[in-house]
Coordinates of all heavy atoms in Angstrom, one line a residue:
Q56 N -14.6 23.0 12.8 CA -13.9 22.5 11.6 C -13.3 21.1 11.9 O -13.4 20.2 11.1 CB -12.9 23.5 11.1 CG -12.1 23.0 9.9 CD -12.8 23.4 8.6 OE1 -13.5 24.4 8.6 NE2 -12.6 22.6 7.6
A57 N -12.6 21.0 13.0 CA -11.9 19.8 13.3 C -12.8 18.6 13.5 O -12.6 17.5 13.0 CB -11.0 19.9 14.6
G58 N -14.0 18.9 14.1 CA -15.0 17.8 14.3 C -15.5 17.3 12.9 O -15.7 16.1 12.8
Q59 N -15.7 18.2 12.0 CA -16.2 17.8 10.7 C -15.1 17.0 9.9 O -15.5 16.1 9.2 CB -16.5 19.1 9.8 CG -17.8 19.8 10.4 CD -18.0 21.1 9.6 OE1 -17.0 21.7 9.2 NE2 -19.2 21.5 9.5
T60 N -13.9 17.3 10.1 CA -12.8 16.6 9.5 C -12.7 15.2 10.0 O -12.6 14.2 9.2 CB -11.4 17.3 9.7 OG1 -11.5 18.6 9.2 CG2 -10.3 16.6 9.0
I61 N -12.8 15.0 11.3 CA -12.8 13.7 11.9 C -14.0 12.9 11.5 O -13.9 11.7 11.2 CB -12.7 13.8 13.5 CG1 -11.4 14.4 13.9 CG2 -13.0 12.5 14.1 CD1 -11.3 14.8 15.3
E62 N -15.2 13.5 11.4 CA -16.4 12.8 11.0 C -16.3 12.4 9.5 O -16.6 11.2 9.2 CB -17.6 13.7 11.1 CG -18.9 13.0 10.8 CD -20.1 13.9 10.9 OE1 -20.1 14.9 11.8 OE2 -21.1 13.7 10.2
Y63 N -15.7 13.2 8.7 CA -15.5 12.8 7.3 C -14.5 11.7 7.2 O -14.8 10.7 6.5 CB -14.9 14.0 6.5 CG -14.6 13.7 5.1 CD1 -15.5 13.6 4.1 CD2 -13.3 13.3 4.8 CE1 -15.2 13.2 2.8 CE2 -12.9 12.9 3.5 CZ -13.9 12.9 2.5 OH -13.6 12.5 1.2
K64 N -13.5 11.7 8.0 CA -12.5 10.6 7.9 C -13.1 9.3 8.4 O -12.9 8.3 7.8 CB -11.3 11.0 8.8 CG -10.2 9.9 8.9 CD -9.1 10.4 9.8 CE -8.0 9.3 9.8 NZ -6.9 9.8 10.7
G65 N -13.9 9.4 9.4 CA -14.6 8.2 9.9 C -15.5 7.6 8.9 O -15.6 6.4 8.7
R66 N -16.3 8.4 8.2 CA -17.2 8.0 7.1 C -16.4 7.3 6.0 O -16.8 6.3 5.5 CB -18.1 9.1 6.6 CG -19.2 9.5 7.4 CD -20.3 10.3 6.7 NE -19.7 11.3 5.8 CZ -19.7 12.6 6.1 NH1 -20.3 13.1 7.1 NH2 -19.2 13.4 5.2
H67 N -15.3 7.9 5.7 CA -14.4 7.4 4.6 C -13.9 6.0 5.0 O -14.0 5.1 4.2 CB -13.3 8.3 4.3 CG -12.3 7.8 3.4 ND1 -12.5 7.8 2.0 CD2 -11.1 7.3 3.5 CE1 -11.5 7.2 1.4 NE2 -10.6 6.9 2.3
V68 N -13.4 5.9 6.2 CA -12.9 4.6 6.7 C -14.0 3.5 6.6 O -13.7 2.4 6.1 CB -12.2 4.7 8.1 CG1 -12.0 3.3 8.7 CG2 -11.0 5.5 8.0
V69 N -15.1 3.8 7.2 CA -16.2 2.8 7.2 C -16.6 2.5 5.8 O -16.9 1.3 5.5 CB -17.4 3.4 8.1 CG1 -18.6 2.5 7.9 CG2 -17.0 3.4 9.5
S70 N -16.8 3.4 4.9 CA -17.2 3.2 3.5 C -16.2 2.3 2.8 O -16.5 1.3 2.1 CB -17.3 4.5 2.7 OG -18.4 5.2 3.2
K71 N -14.9 2.6 3.0 CA -13.9 1.8 2.3 C -13.8 0.3 2.9 O -13.6 -0.6 2.2 CB -12.5 2.4 2.4 CG -12.4 3.7 1.7 CD -12.6 3.6 0.2 CE -11.3 3.0 -0.5 NZ -11.4 2.9 -1.9
L72 N -14.0 0.2 4.2 CA -14.0 -1.1 4.8 C -15.2 -1.9 4.3 O -15.1 -3.1 3.9 CB -14.1 -1.0 6.3 CG -12.8 -0.6 7.0 CD1 -13.1 -0.5 8.5 CD2 -11.7 -1.5 6.7
F73 N -16.4 -1.2 4.2 CA -17.6 -1.9 3.6 C -17.3 -2.4 2.2 O -17.7 -3.5 1.8 CB -18.8 -1.0 3.7 CG -20.0 -1.7 3.2 CD1 -20.8 -2.5 4.0 CD2 -20.5 -1.5 1.9 CE1 -21.9 -3.2 3.6 CE2 -21.6 -2.1 1.4 CZ -22.3 -3.0 2.3
E74 N -16.7 -1.5 1.4 CA -16.4 -1.9 0.0 C -15.5 -3.1 0.0 O -15.7 -4.1 -0.8 CB -15.7 -0.8 -0.7 CG -16.7 0.4 -1.1 CD -15.9 1.5 -1.7 OE1 -14.8 1.3 -2.3 OE2 -16.4 2.7 -1.7
A75 N -14.5 -3.1 0.8 CA -13.5 -4.2 0.8 C -14.2 -5.5 1.3 O -14.0 -6.6 0.6 CB -12.3 -3.9 1.7
F76 N -14.9 -5.5 2.4 CA -15.5 -6.7 2.9 C -16.6 -7.2 2.0 O -16.8 -8.4 1.8 CB -16.1 -6.5 4.3 CG -15.0 -6.3 5.3 CD1 -14.9 -5.2 6.1 CD2 -14.1 -7.4 5.6 CE1 -14.0 -5.0 7.1 CE2 -13.1 -7.2 6.6 CZ -13.1 -6.1 7.3
S77 N -17.3 -6.3 1.3 CA -18.3 -6.7 0.3 C -17.7 -7.4 -0.9 O -18.3 -8.3 -1.5 CB -19.1 -5.5 -0.2 OG -19.9 -4.9 0.9
S78 N -16.5 -6.9 -1.3 CA -15.9 -7.5 -2.5 C -15.4 -8.9 -2.3 O -15.4 -9.7 -3.2 CB -14.7 -6.6 -2.9 OG -13.6 -6.7 -2.0
D79 N -15.0 -9.3 -1.0 CA -14.5 -10.6 -0.8 C -14.7 -11.0 0.7 O -13.8 -11.2 1.4 CB -13.1 -10.8 -1.2 CG -12.7 -12.2 -1.3 OD1 -13.4 -13.1 -0.9 OD2 -11.6 -12.5 -1.9
P80 N -16.0 -11.1 1.1 CA -16.2 -11.4 2.5 C -15.6 -12.7 3.1 O -15.2 -12.7 4.2 CB -17.8 -11.4 2.6 CG -18.3 -11.6 1.3 CD -17.2 -11.1 0.3
E81 N -15.6 -13.7 2.2 CA -15.0 -15.0 2.7 C -13.6 -14.9 3.0 O -13.0 -15.6 3.8 CB -15.4 -16.1 1.7 CG -16.9 -16.4 1.7 CD -17.2 -17.5 0.8 OE1 -16.5 -18.5 0.8 OE2 -18.2 -17.4 0.0
M82 N -12.9 -14.0 2.3 CA -11.4 -13.9 2.6 C -11.1 -12.9 3.7 O -10.2 -13.1 4.5 CB -10.8 -13.4 1.3 CG -9.3 -13.2 1.4 SD -8.6 -12.8 -0.2 CE -7.4 -11.7 0.2
L83 N -12.0 -11.9 3.9 CA -11.6 -10.8 4.8 C -12.3 -10.9 6.2 O -11.8 -10.3 7.1 CB -11.9 -9.5 4.2 CG -11.1 -9.2 2.9 CD1 -11.5 -7.9 2.2 CD2 -9.6 -9.1 3.3
M84 N -13.4 -11.6 6.3 CA -14.1 -11.6 7.5 C -13.8 -12.9 8.3 O -13.4 -13.9 7.7 CB -15.6 -11.5 7.3 CG -16.1 -10.2 6.9 SD -17.9 -9.9 7.1 CE -18.6 -11.3 6.2
P85 N -13.9 -12.8 9.6 CA -13.7 -14.0 10.4 C -14.7 -15.1 10.1 O -15.8 -14.8 9.6 CB -13.9 -13.6 11.9 CG -13.9 -12.1 11.8 CD -14.2 -11.7 10.4
R86 N -14.3 -16.4 10.3 CA -15.2 -17.5 9.9 C -16.6 -17.4 10.5 O -17.5 -17.8 9.8 CB -14.5 -18.8 10.4 CG -13.4 -19.3 9.5 CD -13.0 -20.6 9.9 NE -11.5 -20.6 9.9 CZ -10.7 -21.4 10.4 NH1 -11.2 -22.4 11.1 NH2 -9.4 -21.3 10.3
D87 N -16.7 -17.0 11.7 CA -18.1 -17.0 12.3 C -19.0 -16.0 11.5 O -20.2 -16.3 11.3 CB -18.1 -16.7 13.8 CG -17.4 -15.4 14.2 OD1 -16.5 -15.0 13.4 OD2 -17.6 -14.9 15.3
F88 N -18.4 -14.9 11.1 CA -19.2 -13.9 10.3 C -19.5 -14.5 8.9 O -20.5 -14.3 8.3 CB -18.6 -12.6 10.3 CG -18.9 -11.7 11.4 CD1 -18.1 -11.8 12.6 CD2 -20.0 -10.9 11.4 CE1 -18.4 -11.0 13.7 CE2 -20.3 -10.1 12.6 CZ -19.5 -10.2 13.7
V89 N -18.5 -15.2 8.3 CA -18.6 -15.8 7.0 C -19.8 -16.8 7.0 O -20.6 -16.8 6.1 CB -17.3 -16.4 6.5 CG1 -17.6 -17.3 5.3 CG2 -16.3 -15.4 6.3
Y90 N -19.8 -17.6 8.1 CA -20.9 -18.6 8.2 C -22.3 -17.9 8.2 O -23.2 -18.3 7.5 CB -20.7 -19.4 9.5 CG -21.8 -20.4 9.8 CD1 -21.9 -21.6 9.1 CD2 -22.8 -20.1 10.7 CE1 -22.9 -22.5 9.3 CE2 -23.9 -21.0 10.9 CZ -23.9 -22.2 10.2 OH -24.9 -23.0 10.4
V91 N -22.4 -16.8 9.0 CA -23.7 -16.1 9.1 C -24.0 -15.4 7.7 O -25.1 -15.5 7.2 CB -23.7 -15.0 10.2 CG1 -24.9 -14.2 10.2 CG2 -23.5 -15.7 11.6
Y92 N -22.9 -14.9 7.1 CA -23.1 -14.2 5.8 C -23.6 -15.2 4.8 O -24.6 -14.9 4.1 CB -21.7 -13.6 5.4 CG -21.7 -13.1 4.0 CD1 -22.0 -11.7 3.8 CD2 -21.3 -13.8 2.9 CE1 -22.0 -11.2 2.5 CE2 -21.3 -13.3 1.6 CZ -21.7 -12.0 1.5 OH -21.7 -11.4 0.2
K93 N -23.0 -16.4 4.7 CA -23.4 -17.3 3.7 C -24.8 -17.9 4.0 O -25.4 -18.4 3.0 CB -22.4 -18.5 3.7 CG -21.1 -18.0 3.0 CD -20.0 -19.1 3.2 CE -20.1 -20.1 2.1 NZ -19.0 -21.1 2.1
S94 N -25.3 -17.8 5.2 CA -26.6 -18.4 5.5 C -27.7 -17.4 5.1 O -28.9 -17.8 5.2 CB -26.7 -18.7 7.0 OG -26.7 -17.6 7.8
Q95 N -27.4 -16.2 4.8 CA -28.4 -15.2 4.5 C -29.0 -15.4 3.1 O -28.3 -15.8 2.2 CB -27.8 -13.8 4.6 CG -27.3 -13.4 5.9 CD -28.2 -13.7 7.0 OE1 -29.3 -13.1 7.1 NE2 -27.8 -14.5 8.0
K96 N -30.3 -15.2 2.9 CA -31.0 -15.4 1.7 C -30.9 -14.3 0.7 O -30.8 -14.5 -0.5 CB -32.5 -15.7 2.0 CG -32.7 -16.9 2.9 CD -32.5 -18.2 2.2 CE -32.9 -19.3 3.1 NZ -31.8 -20.2 3.5
T97 N -30.9 -13.0 1.2 CA -30.9 -11.9 0.3 C -29.6 -11.1 0.4 O -28.9 -11.1 1.4 CB -32.1 -10.9 0.7 OG1 -31.9 -10.3 1.9 CG2 -33.4 -11.7 0.7
E98 N -29.4 -10.3 -0.7 CA -28.2 -9.4 -0.7 C -28.3 -8.4 0.4 O -27.3 -8.0 1.0 CB -28.1 -8.7 -2.0 CG -27.6 -9.7 -3.1 CD -26.2 -10.3 -2.8 OE1 -25.3 -9.6 -2.4 OE2 -26.1 -11.5 -2.9
T99 N -29.5 -7.9 0.7 CA -29.7 -6.9 1.8 C -29.3 -7.5 3.1 O -28.6 -6.9 3.9 CB -31.1 -6.4 1.8 OG1 -31.5 -5.8 0.6 CG2 -31.4 -5.5 3.0
D100 N -29.7 -8.8 3.4 CA -29.3 -9.4 4.6 C -27.8 -9.7 4.7 O -27.2 -9.6 5.8 CB -30.1 -10.7 4.8 CG -31.6 -10.5 5.0 OD1 -31.9 -9.3 5.5 OD2 -32.4 -11.4 4.8
K101 N -27.2 -10.0 3.6 CA -25.8 -10.2 3.5 C -25.0 -8.9 3.8 O -24.0 -8.9 4.6 CB -25.3 -10.8 2.2 CG -25.8 -12.2 2.0 CD -25.3 -12.8 0.6 CE -25.8 -14.2 0.5 NZ -25.2 -14.9 -0.6
K102 N -25.5 -7.8 3.3 CA -24.9 -6.5 3.5 C -25.0 -6.2 5.0 O -24.2 -5.5 5.6 CB -25.5 -5.4 2.7 CG -25.1 -5.6 1.2 CD -25.8 -4.5 0.4 CE -25.4 -4.7 -1.1 NZ -26.0 -3.7 -2.0
R103 N -26.2 -6.6 5.6 CA -26.4 -6.3 7.0 C -25.3 -7.0 7.9 O -24.8 -6.4 8.9 CB -27.8 -6.7 7.4 CG -28.1 -6.7 8.9 CD -27.9 -5.4 9.7 NE -28.6 -4.4 9.1 CZ -28.3 -3.1 9.3 NH1 -27.3 -2.7 10.1 NH2 -29.0 -2.1 8.7
V104 N -25.0 -8.2 7.5 CA -23.9 -8.9 8.3 C -22.6 -8.2 8.2 O -21.9 -8.1 9.2 CB -23.8 -10.4 7.7 CG1 -22.6 -11.1 8.4 CG2 -25.1 -11.2 8.0
I105 N -22.3 -7.7 7.0 CA -21.1 -6.9 6.9 C -21.1 -5.6 7.7 O -20.2 -5.3 8.4 CB -20.8 -6.6 5.4 CG1 -20.5 -7.9 4.6 CG2 -19.6 -5.6 5.2 CD1 -20.5 -7.7 3.1
C106 N -22.2 -5.0 7.7 CA -22.4 -3.8 8.5 C -22.3 -4.1 10.0 O -21.7 -3.3 10.7 CB -23.8 -3.1 8.3 SG -24.0 -2.4 6.7
D107 N -22.9 -5.2 10.4 CA -22.8 -5.6 11.8 C -21.3 -5.9 12.2 O -20.9 -5.5 13.3 CB -23.6 -6.8 12.1 CG -25.1 -6.5 12.1 OD1 -25.5 -5.4 12.1 OD2 -25.9 -7.5 12.0
Y108 N -20.6 -6.5 11.3 CA -19.2 -6.8 11.6 C -18.4 -5.5 11.8 O -17.7 -5.3 12.8 CB -18.6 -7.7 10.5 CG -17.1 -7.9 10.7 CD1 -16.7 -8.6 11.9 CD2 -16.2 -7.5 9.8 CE1 -15.3 -8.8 12.1 CE2 -14.8 -7.7 10.0 CZ -14.4 -8.4 11.1 OH -13.1 -8.6 11.3
I109 N -18.6 -4.6 10.9 CA -17.9 -3.3 10.9 C -18.3 -2.5 12.1 O -17.5 -1.9 12.8 CB -18.1 -2.5 9.6 CG1 -17.4 -3.2 8.4 CG2 -17.5 -1.1 9.7 CD1 -17.7 -2.7 7.1
S110 N -19.6 -2.5 12.4 CA -20.1 -1.6 13.5 C -19.6 -2.2 14.9 O -19.5 -1.4 15.8 CB -21.6 -1.6 13.5 OG -22.2 -2.8 13.9
G111 N -19.2 -3.4 14.9 CA -18.6 -4.0 16.2 C -17.1 -3.7 16.4 O -16.6 -4.0 17.4
M112 N -16.5 -3.1 15.4 CA -15.1 -2.7 15.5 C -14.9 -1.5 16.4 O -15.7 -0.5 16.3 CB -14.5 -2.4 14.1 CG -14.4 -3.6 13.2 SD -13.7 -3.0 11.6 CE -13.7 -4.6 10.7
S113 N -13.9 -1.5 17.2 CA -13.5 -0.2 17.8 C -12.9 0.7 16.8 O -12.5 0.3 15.7 CB -12.5 -0.5 18.9 OG -11.2 -0.9 18.4
D114 N -12.8 2.0 17.1 CA -12.1 2.9 16.2 C -10.7 2.5 15.9 O -10.2 2.6 14.7 CB -12.1 4.3 16.8 CG -13.5 4.9 16.8 OD1 -14.5 4.4 16.2 OD2 -13.7 6.0 17.4
A115 N -10.0 2.1 16.9 CA -8.6 1.7 16.7 C -8.5 0.4 15.8 O -7.6 0.4 14.9 CB -7.9 1.4 18.1
Y116 N -9.3 -0.5 16.0 CA -9.3 -1.8 15.2 C -9.6 -1.4 13.8 O -9.0 -1.9 12.8 CB -10.2 -2.8 15.8 CG -10.2 -4.1 15.1 CD1 -9.1 -5.0 15.2 CD2 -11.2 -4.5 14.2 CE1 -9.0 -6.2 14.5 CE2 -11.2 -5.7 13.6 CZ -10.1 -6.5 13.7 OH -10.0 -7.7 13.0
A117 N -10.7 -0.6 13.6 CA -11.1 -0.2 12.2 C -9.9 0.5 11.5 O -9.6 0.3 10.3 CB -12.3 0.6 12.2
G118 N -9.2 1.4 12.3 CA -8.1 2.1 11.7 C -7.0 1.1 11.3 O -6.3 1.3 10.3
K119 N -6.7 0.1 12.2 CA -5.7 -0.8 11.9 C -6.0 -1.7 10.6 O -5.2 -1.9 9.8 CB -5.5 -1.7 13.1 CG -4.3 -2.7 13.0 CD -4.2 -3.5 14.3 CE -2.8 -3.1 14.9 NZ -2.5 -3.9 16.1
I120 N -7.3 -2.1 10.5 CA -7.7 -2.9 9.4 C -7.6 -2.0 8.1 O -7.1 -2.5 7.1 CB -9.1 -3.5 9.6 CG1 -9.1 -4.5 10.7 CG2 -9.6 -4.1 8.3 CD1 -8.3 -5.7 10.5
Y121 N -8.1 -0.8 8.2 CA -8.0 0.1 7.1 C -6.6 0.3 6.6 O -6.3 0.2 5.4 CB -8.6 1.5 7.4 CG -8.5 2.5 6.3 CD1 -9.5 2.6 5.4 CD2 -7.4 3.3 6.2 CE1 -9.5 3.5 4.4 CE2 -7.3 4.3 5.2 CZ -8.4 4.4 4.3 OH -8.3 5.3 3.3
S122 N -5.7 0.5 7.5 CA -4.3 0.7 7.2 C -3.7 -0.5 6.5 O -3.0 -0.4 5.5 CB -3.4 1.0 8.5 OG -3.8 2.2 9.0
R123 N -4.0 -1.7 7.1 CA -3.5 -3.0 6.5 C -4.0 -3.2 5.1 O -3.3 -3.7 4.2 CB -3.9 -4.1 7.3 CG -3.1 -4.2 8.6 CD -3.4 -5.4 9.4 NE -2.9 -6.6 8.8 CZ -3.1 -7.8 9.2 NH1 -3.9 -8.0 10.2 NH2 -2.6 -8.8 8.6
L124 N -5.3 -2.8 4.8 CA -5.9 -3.0 3.5 C -5.5 -1.9 2.5 O -5.3 -2.2 1.3 CB -7.4 -3.0 3.6 CG -8.0 -4.2 4.3 CD1 -9.5 -4.1 4.5 CD2 -7.7 -5.5 3.5
F125 N -5.3 -0.7 2.9 CA -5.2 0.4 1.9 C -3.9 1.2 2.0 O -3.7 2.1 1.1 CB -6.4 1.4 2.1 CG -7.7 0.7 1.8 CD1 -8.6 0.4 2.9 CD2 -8.1 0.2 0.6 CE1 -9.8 -0.3 2.7 CE2 -9.3 -0.4 0.3 CZ -10.1 -0.7 1.4
I126 N -3.1 1.1 3.0 CA -1.9 1.9 3.0 C -0.7 1.0 2.8 O -0.4 0.1 3.6 CB -1.8 2.6 4.4 CG1 -3.0 3.5 4.6 CG2 -0.5 3.4 4.5 CD1 -3.1 4.3 5.9
P127 N 0.0 1.2 1.7 CA 1.1 0.3 1.3 C 2.2 0.4 2.5 O 2.5 1.4 3.0 CB 1.7 1.0 0.1 CG 0.5 1.7 -0.5 CD -0.3 2.2 0.7
G128 N 2.7 -0.8 2.8 CA 3.7 -0.9 3.8 C 3.2 -1.0 5.2 O 4.0 -1.2 6.1
S129 N 1.9 -0.9 5.4 CA 1.3 -1.1 6.7 C 0.9 -2.5 7.0 O 0.0 -3.0 6.3 CB 0.1 -0.2 6.8 OG 0.4 1.2 6.8
G130 N 1.6 -3.1 7.9 CA 1.2 -4.5 8.3 C 1.7 -5.5 7.3 O 2.0 -5.2 6.1
T131 N 1.8 -6.7 7.8 CA 2.2 -7.8 7.0 C 1.2 -9.0 7.3 O 0.4 -8.9 8.2 CB 3.6 -8.3 7.2 OG1 3.7 -8.9 8.5 CG2 4.6 -7.2 7.1
A132 N 1.4 -10.0 6.5 CA 0.5 -11.2 6.8 C 0.8 -11.8 8.1 O 0.0 -12.6 8.6 CB 0.8 -12.2 5.6
F133 N 2.0 -11.5 8.7 CA 2.4 -12.1 10.0 C 2.0 -11.3 11.2 O 2.2 -11.7 12.3 CB 3.9 -12.4 9.9 CG 4.3 -13.2 8.8 CD1 4.9 -12.7 7.7 CD2 4.0 -14.6 8.8 CE1 5.2 -13.5 6.6 CE2 4.3 -15.4 7.7 CZ 4.9 -14.9 6.6
D134 N 1.4 -10.1 11.0 CA 1.0 -9.2 12.1 C -0.2 -9.8 12.8 O -1.1 -10.3 12.1 CB 0.7 -7.8 11.6 CG 1.9 -7.0 11.3 OD1 3.0 -7.4 11.6 OD2 1.7 -6.0 10.6
L135 N -0.3 -9.7 14.1 CA -1.5 -10.1 14.8 C -2.3 -8.9 15.0 O -1.8 -7.8 15.2 CB -1.1 -10.7 16.2 CG -0.3 -12.0 16.1 CD1 0.1 -12.4 17.6 CD2 -1.1 -13.1 15.5
L136 N -3.6 -9.1 14.9 CA -4.5 -7.9 15.1 C -4.9 -7.8 16.5 O -4.9 -8.0 17.5 CB -5.7 -8.0 14.2 CG -5.5 -7.9 12.8 CD1 -6.7 -8.2 12.0 CD2 -4.9 -6.6 12.4

């Protein structure tokens, strides 16, 4: 049961991050990924860049970004990642 709960939570975090980055990639992704994103010709290829960015995150970093984006009071504009 605990393993299923953790797996569900992980899928939720990744899905929400994908939605956020897809909604405004130029604001939320680092410049190097934005450059690659903007150079893609198709929407599928653009989505792949977002997937690649998220897949390169450690669990801790993904959790920190998720918290900053979706949990009120977590992090500020002045926090370093």
